[in-house]
Amino acid sequence: MHDPFLVSLASGEPVPPAVRHLHSGSGAYVGRCRIERGERGVISLLLRLGGFPAASEDAPVSLEVVSQEKNWIWERKFGTHLTRSQLTYDPSLDCVRERIGALSIWLKPVMLGEKLSIEILRLHVLGVPCPRFLLPRSNTVEWQDDEGRFRFDVSADVPGLGMLIRYQGWLSPVHAELVDV
């Protein structure tokens, strides 16, 4: 069973192996990332409501993906900060709905060459729809680097207010070691 990002992609689109692997099942990943965040008024409030991490030049990051029937739980740990979200496939919009803190975000993955781009279609804050003119704009991409690692550059800006968040880095799968008993 694939996670909602692969389900909502048009069938037959080629997806780099590291991206397909991360989105193909439960798993654990570790890596590093840089985190930038907006700090002005409403932006800071949105980041707190979403439970996003503090800024960092070089943070250890881990991701655990767990499939639970029609839901996928993503637990991201940036240093000691845990950000947990639940992803589901929304067939009515053919997209992914991610619930993160008090935010619900509808995301549409699209392959652009060898990169997976993610667009923001809708946002609800505490259940209240965000007006389209304030809808964050995503510049998020995922790809595979020359070393075969999953790379990410996740960012969103709010029109008229500036940067919401940006985190960029890499992840590699954690392989369980076999132990003789």
Side-chain angles (χ1 to χ4, degrees), residues 81-170:
H81 179 89
L82 179 66
T83 300
R84 186 173 196 260
S85 64
Q86 176 183 324
L87 292 85
T88 55
Y89 175 67
D90 183 339
S92 66
L93 295 174
D94 188 29
C95 70
V96 177
R97 180 178 183 185
E98 182 172 16
R99 293 182 183 145
I100 181 167
L103 308 176
S104 286
I105 309 165
W106 283 259
L107 306 165
K108 179 65 179 171
V110 177
M111 286 304 300
L112 298 176
E114 294 185 7
K115 293 185 176 182
L116 179 68
S117 175
I118 301 172
E119 302 169 9
I120 298 173
L121 301 179
R122 292 183 181 176
L123 169 68
H124 288 190
V125 179
L126 296 168
V128 178
C130 175
R132 185 164 287 298
F133 72 93
L134 284 177
L135 188 65
R137 307 293 187 254
S138 174
N139 295 308
T140 297
V141 289
E142 300 175 354
W143 70 99
Q144 178 175 311
D145 69 14
D146 293 339
E147 296 177 41
R149 299 178 301 187
F150 175 86
R151 295 295 304 240
F152 57 91
D153 188 345
V154 176
S155 67
D157 299 315
V158 177
L161 298 177
M163 180 180 63
L164 182 62
I165 188 91
R166 181 175 190 187
Y167 49 99
Q168 52 191 330
W170 59 270

Side-chain angles (χ1 to χ4, degrees), residues 18-35:
V19 175
R20 179 170 295 285
H21 183 268
L22 187 131
H23 290 291
S24 291
S26 297
Y29 304 85
V30 295
R32 308 291 300 183
C33 76
R34 178 174 191 259
I35 305 163

Side-chain angles (χ1 to χ4, degrees), residues 11 19 28 49 54 57 59 65-66 69 103 119 127 157 162 164:
S11 64
V19 175
L49 288 172
E57 284 299 315
V65 179
V66 178
E69 295 184 23
L103 308 176
E119 302 169 9
D157 299 315
L164 182 62

